[in-house]
Every structure is written in structure tokens, then in C-alpha cells.
């Protein structure tokens, strides 16, 4: 019996092993990848992929504060930058560098796409301009009048389960004595299919309401509390839908 590398009749006989087969297959795959990475047409693939994702993101851009796109922006910049560096690398001796640039660009593009989709699905949506005010102003505390704030179905087309509302309450007569220290407001969420909620805020304060997943409209009644003889104006300075 002879083993691997034994001689018989002066001839060296090599028997293949599992490790040898795997090593040959791995080297073959490696060579195929290197040839593809270094092919002239492959230089454009990472940049084309990155630019395609940027165009799609730009055409479907949702509303909301720019801060929530920080991760997407960083990954998008990385994907385009490494793709451009890969395209400019024409040296046939830098296969490992070219492969690393291509891999980093593709992974960054995928990460940027996932980050963008997460913002589209769960990110904040600014609906300040779509808050409709119903009722007569200025308000005071003696007539027991209320102001109604509404969001209709168009503002709620993107499903979010919470509303963050910030209100400015200002003196109706800025030239007179200020009533702000004695002023507050009670907000009551009265929306079909959602449990009634009551929040109390000061001028410039923010109230957060739970909406549920599929509300068709939002109604919030506001009751002003202020000193006798004070007349106040109320307006929404910010309204944001978000997933709480």
C-alpha cells in the first residue's frame, strides 16, 4: 500500500484529497472573480449601481427633518466615492485594491438603500402646513370657546402611529401687558377609533398623541386657560407624524 506522495517504480503518485479539491475550487473561483473585477466593463458596475439608487431615492424622497437621513447620506457618499475610485483605478496589478473598492461600494449602496427604505417606512413626516384650524380667534378664558385643529386623510396618507404637535400661544395685542405667564391650554384628541387623550401644555409647548396605525382623520379640541381679560392667538408651529 502506498500513500500520497509515495513512489512506485520510480514514479511519484499523488492522490487527491478533499482538502486538495476544495483548494483547487477556491483558487478557480478566486481567479474568476479577479478576472471579472479587473475586466474594463466591471469598473462601471459599482458606480452605475450607486447612481441608480440615488436617482430612485431622489424621485421617491419623503418629507421630514434632514437629520433622519444622516446614515443614508454617509453611506451614499461612501458608495459613490469608492465607486469613483474603482473606476479610476486602471492598474492591472491592483486586483486586490480594485476588488476591495468594488466590494465596499456595493455594500455601502445596499446599506444606504436599506437606511433610506427604513426612513420611508418609519421616519418622521412634517405635516405642519396641513393642520387646519377651525374656530374664531382670539381666544379667552371667559367665553368657554374652543379651537379645533384637524388633519385630513391627505396628511395621513403615510401610516404613522403618533403625532407630535407644537403650538404657539401669543398675546393678541403685542403692545399690551403680556399674558403668557398665566396662560396654558388643554388639548383633547377626539378621533374615531382612537382612545380619547388629554394633554396640557404651556405656550410653545409640545404634546404627543398616540394615533394607531390607520386613522383617516385627526381632530384635536383646544381649550385656553388664561387670566381674566387676556386674549390670545393660537397657531401650530410644528406638527410631525412619527412612529412612537
Amino acid at each position: 500500500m502506498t500513500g500520497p506522495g509515495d513512489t512506485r517504480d520510480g514514479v511519484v503518485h499523488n492522490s487527491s484529497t478533499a482538502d486538495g479539491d476544495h483548494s483547487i475550487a477556491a483558487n478557480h473561483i478566486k481567479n474568476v472573480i479577479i478576472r471579472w473585477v479587473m475586466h474594463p466593463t466591471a469598473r462601471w458596475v459599482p458606480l452605475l449601481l450607486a447612481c441608480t439608487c440615488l436617482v430612485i431615492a431622489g424621485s421617491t424622497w419623503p418629507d421630514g427633518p434632514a437629520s433622519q437621513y444622516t446614515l443614508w447620506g454617509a453611506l451614499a457618499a461612501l458608495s459613490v466615492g469608492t465607486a469613483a475610485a474603482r473606476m479610476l483605478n486602471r492598474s492591472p496589478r491592483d486586483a486586490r485594491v480594485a476588488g476591495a473598492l468594488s466590494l465596499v461600494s456595493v455594500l455601502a449602496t445596499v446599506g444606504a438603500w436599506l437606511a433610506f427604505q427604513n426612513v420611508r417606512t418609519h421616519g418622521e413626516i412634517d405635516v405642519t402646513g396641513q393642520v387646519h384650524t377651525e374656530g374664531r380667534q382670539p381666544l379667552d378664558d371667559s367665553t368657554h370657546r374652543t379651537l379645533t385643529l384637524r388633519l385630513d386623510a391627505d396628511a395621513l396618507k403615510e401610516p404613522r402611529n403618533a403625532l407630535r404637535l407644537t403650538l404657539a400661544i401669543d398675546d393678541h395685542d403685542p403692545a399690551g401687558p403680556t399674558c403668557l405667564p398665566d396662560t396654558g391650554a388643554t388639548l383633547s384628541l377626539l378621533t374615531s377609533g382612537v382612545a380619547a387623550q388629554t394633554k396640557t401644555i404651556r405656550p410653545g409647548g409640545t404634546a404627543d398623541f398616540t394615533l394607531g396605525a390607520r386613522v383617516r382623520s385627526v381632530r384635536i379640541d383646544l381649550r385656553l386657560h388664561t387670566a381674566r381679560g387676556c386674549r390670545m392667538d393660537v397657531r401650530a408651529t410644528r406638527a410631525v407624524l412619527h412612529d412612537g
Side-chain angles (χ1 to χ4, degrees), residues 169-231:
I169 307 175
D170 300 313
D171 296 298
H172 181 66
D173 182 9
T178 182
C179 295
L180 292 178
D182 302 316
T183 298
T186 298
L187 306 179
S188 301
L189 178 71
L190 304 172
T191 296
S192 177
V194 180
Q197 300 164 55
T198 301
K199 309 284 184 179
T200 300
I201 64 170
R202 301 285 298 167
T206 298
D208 221 320
F209 296 98
T210 301
L211 301 180
R214 295 279 180 184
V215 296
R216 301 294 302 228
S217 64
V218 173
R219 173 187 168 187
I220 298 173
D221 285 352
L222 180 147
R223 173 79 170 83
L224 185 72
H225 309 289
T226 190
R228 182 180 297 275
C230 290
R231 304 169 71 206

Side-chain angles (χ1 to χ4, degrees), residues 46-47 50-51 54 73-88 101 104-105 108-109:
L47 185 61
C51 291
L54 282 176
L75 290 173
L78 178 63
S79 68
V80 173
T82 51
R86 167 64 188 98
M87 188 188 66
L88 295 174
L101 290 172
V104 171
S105 178
T109 299

Side-chain angles (χ1 to χ4, degrees), residues 96-185:
R96 285 181 295 182
V97 173
L101 290 172
S102 297
L103 179 61
V104 171
S105 178
V106 171
L107 291 178
T109 299
V110 173
W113 180 253
L114 293 176
F116 180 75
Q117 291 302 317
N118 182 68
V119 174
R120 284 193 63 195
T121 306
H122 302 290
E124 295 184 352
I125 301 174
D126 190 343
V127 292
T128 306
Q130 301 182 66
V131 177
H132 306 296
T133 303
E134 300 175 359
R136 191 174 58 183
Q137 297 199 63
L139 294 175
D140 57 48
D141 192 54
S142 60
T143 58
H144 304 290
R145 287 188 292 109
T146 60
L147 191 69
T148 299
L149 306 172
R150 291 186 184 274
L151 284 172
D152 57 22
D154 187 56
L156 301 166
K157 60 186 178 181
E158 295 291 340
R160 297 292 187 271
N161 61 24
L163 169 66
R164 187 183 306 119
L165 181 65
T166 303
L167 296 178
I169 307 175
D170 300 313
D171 296 298
H172 181 66
D173 182 9
T178 182
C179 295
L180 292 178
D182 302 316
T183 298

Side-chain angles (χ1 to χ4, degrees), residues 224-241:
L224 185 72
H225 309 289
T226 190
R228 182 180 297 275
C230 290
R231 304 169 71 206
M232 313 297 291
D233 293 319
V234 178
R235 59 188 173 87
T237 57
R238 192 174 186 202
V240 174
L241 296 171

Side-chain angles (χ1 to χ4, degrees), residues 33-51 79-92 94-95 97-99 101-103 105-106:
I33 293 174
I34 291 175
R35 285 197 298 269
W36 180 84
V37 166
M38 297 308 297
H39 194 276
T41 59
R43 293 188 297 114
W44 294 91
V45 173
L47 185 61
L48 180 62
L49 180 63
C51 291
S79 68
V80 173
T82 51
R86 167 64 188 98
M87 188 188 66
L88 295 174
N89 183 4
R90 299 175 180 231
S91 174
D94 291 340
V97 173
L101 290 172
S102 297
L103 179 61
S105 178
V106 171

